[in-house]
């Protein structure tokens, strides 16, 4: 009799996920969170990451290669000569696609291994400075065993970038999964897919899946995406308290939630009394409250490390020696879109993010190039004849706080 483990393996051999064409590598680099190099430096290492020293990363459950390719490319671009990204996945079909993508980019800092996460200590032993595991642990027979296997290969001061499904934001998915399991679980995969398409076509507009704008994989026209969403034979989701307990089972704790404002209750609370009460809660309870107020988090993205971890003091964004990084943004273009006395505005899954900005915001942001220190930004502003007030450092902190809330401003520090 075919086991669920065998069926999961067969799924990814037949439908490598996500769908990727290696020939598109010359057009774009698929980027995201976690595992962006600037994010790793900021959230895991407090802004300090010496890439002249050896750096080892593991992408566990690498699929068709998104995270592994992104990180390997970032490291290559940064000139990290002694860095290695180890790709691990149970699917040989997925591995072939990831290898083809690496070949298209001529990346030489990657090593590919076929195997399961539970056996990482045997097939791809650490220690690793950083481990990525996105969208995988919630598909294992024992997510706890998988997480413990990864934690056993993590360096004491290292970190993990994780993505696990969020319960509230996946409303509608599980009733459809259960309905398909009742109707077609015993059929071949091609027939299960055809049935899923027919079922979706007949779902009433009132069904939770049709009313959930956060879930789109079944609308992308790719069988691999539809299968992974609705026909996966092992799939669970987490709320923040459950996720915290899950991390604790391996001696881990959150280092940061992505984006930070998504897990901040004040993003969703306008009443000042309620905001003050929320501010007094412990960190995990604040994140749990934010999730309850949002109900739109379909994927928990976070960085984690050992609860008993060597201390890494985060850089002070307003200190002269700190370097600020605008993640994925053009500083000049961003500055042009800001107004003196204005605010930074964004939409977080329907919640309005609105943070007032200090007077020198445009002058500060336009000079953030990932190389200048805060002290050099100050000197550059002064060179234009602008008087820089004593509140400059605090204004930088305010600018940082606004952009950092949506994961767009990070710190980098020397040493």
């Amino acid at each position: 009799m075919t086991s669920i483990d065998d069926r999961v393996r067969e799924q990814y051999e037949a439908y490598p996920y996500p769908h990727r064409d290696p020939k598109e590598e010359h057009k774009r680099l698929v980027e995201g969170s976690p595992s962006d190099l600037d994010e790793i430096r900021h959230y895991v290492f407090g802004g300090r990451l010496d890439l002249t020293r050896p750096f080892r990363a593991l992408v566990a459950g690498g699929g068709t290669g998104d995270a592994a390719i992104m990180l390997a490319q970032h490291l290559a671009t940064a000139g990290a000569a002694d860095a290695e990204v180890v790709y691990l996945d149970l699917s040989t079909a997925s591995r072939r696609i990831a290898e083809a993508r690496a070949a298209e980019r001529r990346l030489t800092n990657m090593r590919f291994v076929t195997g399961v996460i539970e056996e990482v200590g045997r097939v791809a032993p650490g220690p690793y400075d950083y481990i990525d595991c996105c969208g995988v642990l919630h598909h294992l027979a024992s997510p706890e065993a998988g997480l413990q296997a990864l934690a056993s290969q993590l360096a004491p001061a290292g970190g993990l970038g994780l993505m696990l499904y969020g319960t509230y934001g996946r409303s509608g998915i599980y009733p459809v999964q259960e309905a398909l399991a009742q109707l077609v679980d015993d059929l071949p995969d091609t027939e299960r897919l055809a049935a899923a398409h027919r079922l979706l076509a007949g779902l009433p507009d009132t069904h939770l899946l049709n009313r959930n704008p956060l879930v789109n994989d079944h609308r992308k026209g790719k069988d691999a995406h539809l299968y992974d969403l609705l026909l996966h034979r092992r799939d669970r989701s987490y709320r923040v308290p459950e996720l915290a307990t899950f991390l604790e089972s391996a001696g881990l704790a959150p280092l940061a939630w992505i984006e930070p404002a998504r897990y901040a209750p004040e993003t969703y609370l306008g009443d000042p009394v309620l905001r003050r009460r929320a501010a007094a809660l412990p960190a995990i309870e604040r994140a749990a409250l934010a999730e309850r107020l949002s109900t739109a988090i379909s994927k928990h993205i976070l960085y984690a490390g050992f609860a008993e971890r060597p201390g890494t003091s985060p850089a002070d964004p307003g200190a002269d020696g700190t370097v600020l990084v605008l993640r994925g943004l053009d500083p000049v273009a961003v500055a042009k879109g800001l107004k003196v006395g204005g605010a930074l505005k964004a939409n977080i899954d329907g919640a309005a993010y609105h943070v007032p900005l200090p007077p020198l915001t445009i002058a500060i942001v336009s000079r953030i190039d990932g190389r200048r220190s805060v002290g050099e930004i100050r000197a550059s502003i002064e060179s234009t004849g602008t008087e820089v007030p004593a509140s400059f450092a605090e204004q930088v902190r305010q600018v940082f706080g606004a952009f950092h809330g949506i994961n767009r401003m990070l710190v980098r520090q020397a040493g």
Side-chain angles (χ1 to χ4, degrees), residues 379-402:
S380 175
I381 295 172
E382 290 174 333
S383 72
T384 67
T386 301
E387 183 177 349
V388 176
S391 65
F392 178 76
E394 184 54 36
Q395 290 198 38
V396 172
R397 294 185 189 102
Q398 291 174 25
V399 172
F400 174 83

Side-chain angles (χ1 to χ4, degrees), residues 259-274:
E259 294 87 5
R262 190 180 304 275
Y263 291 86
E266 53 268 25
T267 299
Y268 313 99
L269 292 173
D271 180 82
V273 175
L274 296 179

Side-chain angles (χ1 to χ4, degrees), residues 6 86 121 141 189 351 388:
D6 290 334
V86 178
D189 281 342
V388 176

Side-chain angles (χ1 to χ4, degrees), residues 2-272:
T2 304
S3 69
I4 293 180
D5 282 341
D6 290 334
R7 289 186 173 186
V8 170
R9 188 189 303 271
E10 290 167 1
Q11 169 188 336
Y12 290 115
E13 292 295 349
Y15 305 103
Y17 181 85
H19 175 83
R20 293 288 181 250
D21 180 354
K23 295 299 181 184
E24 293 184 356
E25 290 303 310
H26 71 281
K27 297 179 183 178
R28 62 164 185 166
L29 175 64
V30 177
E31 297 183 276
S33 300
S35 299
D36 173 284
L37 183 57
D38 283 324
E39 285 187 8
I40 294 169
R41 179 187 287 109
H42 175 95
Y43 292 114
V44 177
F45 298 104
R48 293 187 178 91
L49 182 58
D50 184 0
L51 292 177
T52 65
R53 302 180 58 145
F55 179 83
R56 293 192 76 213
L58 170 71
V59 179
T64 51
D66 283 2
I69 296 294
M70 175 183 69
L71 181 53
Q73 183 63 69
H74 285 183
L75 289 165
T77 301
D82 200 0
E84 179 185 54
V85 177
V86 178
Y87 163 105
L88 172 67
D89 200 272
L90 57 77
S91 165
T92 56
S94 297
R95 172 177 168 171
R96 284 194 295 270
I97 293 170
E99 286 179 313
R101 294 175 68 185
E104 286 287 328
R105 291 185 169 275
R106 299 182 180 178
L107 292 170
T108 59
N109 57 355
M110 298 183 70
R111 181 163 62 89
F112 293 86
V113 179
T114 299
V116 297
I117 286 174
E118 295 90 336
E119 297 180 7
V120 62
R122 179 179 64 82
V123 299
Y128 293 99
D129 301 291
Y130 177 72
I131 296 175
D132 170 289
C133 190
C134 291
V136 181
L137 292 171
H138 48 232
H139 291 316
L140 300 184
S142 171
E144 290 78 11
L147 184 63
Q148 288 165 5
L150 294 177
S152 73
Q153 303 305 310
L154 183 66
L160 298 94
L162 302 171
M163 185 279 278
L164 295 112
Y165 291 149
T167 299
Y168 297 134
R170 283 171 69 81
S171 63
I173 292 174
Y174 295 108
V176 174
Q177 282 188 5
E178 291 162 7
L180 287 167
Q182 281 184 282
L183 294 168
V184 299
D185 198 53
D186 60 329
L187 298 180
D189 281 342
T190 54
E191 294 182 40
R192 295 175 76 223
L193 273 166
H197 282 292
R198 297 197 305 274
L199 184 145
L200 288 174
L203 277 184
D205 292 341
T206 53
H207 194 282
L208 287 173
L209 184 61
N210 284 334
R211 294 165 58 190
N212 187 345
L214 307 170
V215 178
N216 298 299
D217 267 8
H218 58 303
R219 301 186 180 104
K220 292 182 178 179
K222 303 295 184 184
D223 283 346
H225 293 246
L226 175 60
Y227 197 117
D228 196 73
L229 184 73
L230 299 177
L231 293 168
H232 206 295
R233 287 184 166 89
R234 203 154 52 201
D235 176 336
R236 67 153 298 171
S237 61
Y238 296 82
R239 293 172 296 173
V240 165
E242 296 166 334
L243 189 45
T245 300
F246 175 54
L247 293 173
E248 288 172 6
S249 72
L252 302 166
L255 298 175
W257 303 88
I258 306 298
E259 294 87 5
R262 190 180 304 275
Y263 291 86
E266 53 268 25
T267 299
Y268 313 99
L269 292 173
D271 180 82

